């Protein structure tokens, strides 16, 4: 009989794409040509480049260093602190700037959505959000696109604020006009400890100051994904194991009042883990990071879940992107080990990582 005891086993085949020795990444996106873009929010690490392209194994400022050198938190011509980068179905790169370094209150000019033409590497559109859309408390987190709606398409953003109202922001890409939906709706809010007590690496995931009692994590609507037919928008609060969806028709119909839009919300059930990022593919499947299990889950159209990959290196899987190569790319950034959640002690161990795993499907392409 062997003296060796069995151990927890990984699931799936995780491949390392790139490692990051300095600042922690959050977002990743992959173009049709296989170009990979990442971003680094200004949360406290030294961040010289908040948006970068991976080129020959190095991070290069994108589109250039000027765009990565803001004059202030209200600079409307530079990236202040970027949380998400997403390539849309026509292969344009969109950059979602929170305008909130260190989760500071936003000022007009900071929160914005910026479009970059990947053929020319030039900025072609900047959409600034007014103070009644990107509130002083807002933290605009992630974005998805449906280019079949209205004349030039529509974008959907989550507001994951940890100190103010949560919700979904809808953007008309032709006019740049934007409006809030599900403003402070219960489905967009963090759950309380009465119903949600997350464990990450076996430790309670709480805000833990060095000189005071712990408190619950309060970040709301974070992950977002659009169904392959464009009918439903899926979303989840960071501090919750629930998955929700809402009618896209209702979100974009400005003649509907808030109560009517809220009436189209569905509680899609318990997904078995707290999640940060969501993604969807052209086969109608939904992907969910599972930060409590160091895993990525996959939900089939019939509601069945499976574990796509589980690996001890997936320490806080954050954002996902499905490339045309049939791989799902995912960042792992040890978010839960930051000083805010560790009694003021930085427990992160560099480098951070970008991984990929085969999924055999392509990204959702909601084209005109």
């Amino acid at each position: 009989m062997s003296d060796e005891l069995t151990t927890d086993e990984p699931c799936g085949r995780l491949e390392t794409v790139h490692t990051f020795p300095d600042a922690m990444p959050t977002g990743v996106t992959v173009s049709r040509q296989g170009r990979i873009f990442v971003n680094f929010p200004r949360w406290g690490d030294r961040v010289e480049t908040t948006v970068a392209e991976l080129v020959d194994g190095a991070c290069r400022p994108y589109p250039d260093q000027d765009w990565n050198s803001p004059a202030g938190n209200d600079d409307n011509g530079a990236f202040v602190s970027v949380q998400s980068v997403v390539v849309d179905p026509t292969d344009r790169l969109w950059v979602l700037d929170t305008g909130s370094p260190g989760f500071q209150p936003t000022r007009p000019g900071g929160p914005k959505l910026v479009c970059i033409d990947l053929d020319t590497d030039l900025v072609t559109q900047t959409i600034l959000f007014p103070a009644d859309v990107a509130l002083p408390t807002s933290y605009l987190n992630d974005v998805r696109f449906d280019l079949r709606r209205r004349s030039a398409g529509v974008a959907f953003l989550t507001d994951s604020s940890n100190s103010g109202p949560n919700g979904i922001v809808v953007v008309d890409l032709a006019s740049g006009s934007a409006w809030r939906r599900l403003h402070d709706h219960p489905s967009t809010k963090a759950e309380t400890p009465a119903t949600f007590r997350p464990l990450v690496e076996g430790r309670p995931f709480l805000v833990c100051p060095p000189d005071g009692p712990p408190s619950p994590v309060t970040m709301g609507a974070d992950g977002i994904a659009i169904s392959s037919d464009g009918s439903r928008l899926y979303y989840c609060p960071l501090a919750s194991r629930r998955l929700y969806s809402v009618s896209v028709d209702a979100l974009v119909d400005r003649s509907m009042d808030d109560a009517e839009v809220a009436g189209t919300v569905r509680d899609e059930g318990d997904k078995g883990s707290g999640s940060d990022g969501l993604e969807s593919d052209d086969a109608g499947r939904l992907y969910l990071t599972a930060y409590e299990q160091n895993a990525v889950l996959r939900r089939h159209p019939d509601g069945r879940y499976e574990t796509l990959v589980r690996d001890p290196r997936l320490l806080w899987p954050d954002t996902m992107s499905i490339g045309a190569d049939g791989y799902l790319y995912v960042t792992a950034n040890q978010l839960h080990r930051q000083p805010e959640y560790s009694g003021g002690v930085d427990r992160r161990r560099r480098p951070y990582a970008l991984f990929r795993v085969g999924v055999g499907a392509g990204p959702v392409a909601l084209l005109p």
Side-chain angles (χ1 to χ4, degrees), residues 214-225:
S215 60
V217 173
T218 55
M219 284 177 278
D222 187 326
I224 187 172

Side-chain angles (χ1 to χ4, degrees), residues 37-85:
F37 302 91
V38 292
N39 66 266
F40 308 87
R42 292 187 164 99
W43 285 349
D45 291 334
R46 180 180 177 184
V47 176
E48 296 182 356
T49 300
T50 191
V51 178
E53 180 179 7
L54 298 185
V55 180
D56 298 328
C59 289
R60 294 187 179 176
Y62 192 81
D64 54 38
Q65 188 57 54
D66 286 345
W67 267 96
N68 283 274
S69 304
N73 293 357
D74 57 354
D75 191 337
N76 61 19
F79 303 138
V80 176
S81 180
V82 172
Q83 176 67 24
S84 184
V85 286

Side-chain angles (χ1 to χ4, degrees), residues 181 250 253-263:
R181 287 298 201 185
D253 186 351
R254 302 203 70 175
S255 70
M256 293 182 67
D257 63 29
D258 290 343
E260 290 174 310
V261 176

Side-chain angles (χ1 to χ4, degrees), residues 282-305:
D282 57 9
R285 299 174 297 189
L286 191 67
Y287 298 82
L288 313 93
T289 63
Y291 62 70
E292 293 184 85
Q293 286 86 26
N294 303 335
V296 174
L297 309 179
R298 179 161 58 188
R299 181 180 186 266
H300 291 262
D302 62 3
R304 175 174 53 92
Y305 281 84

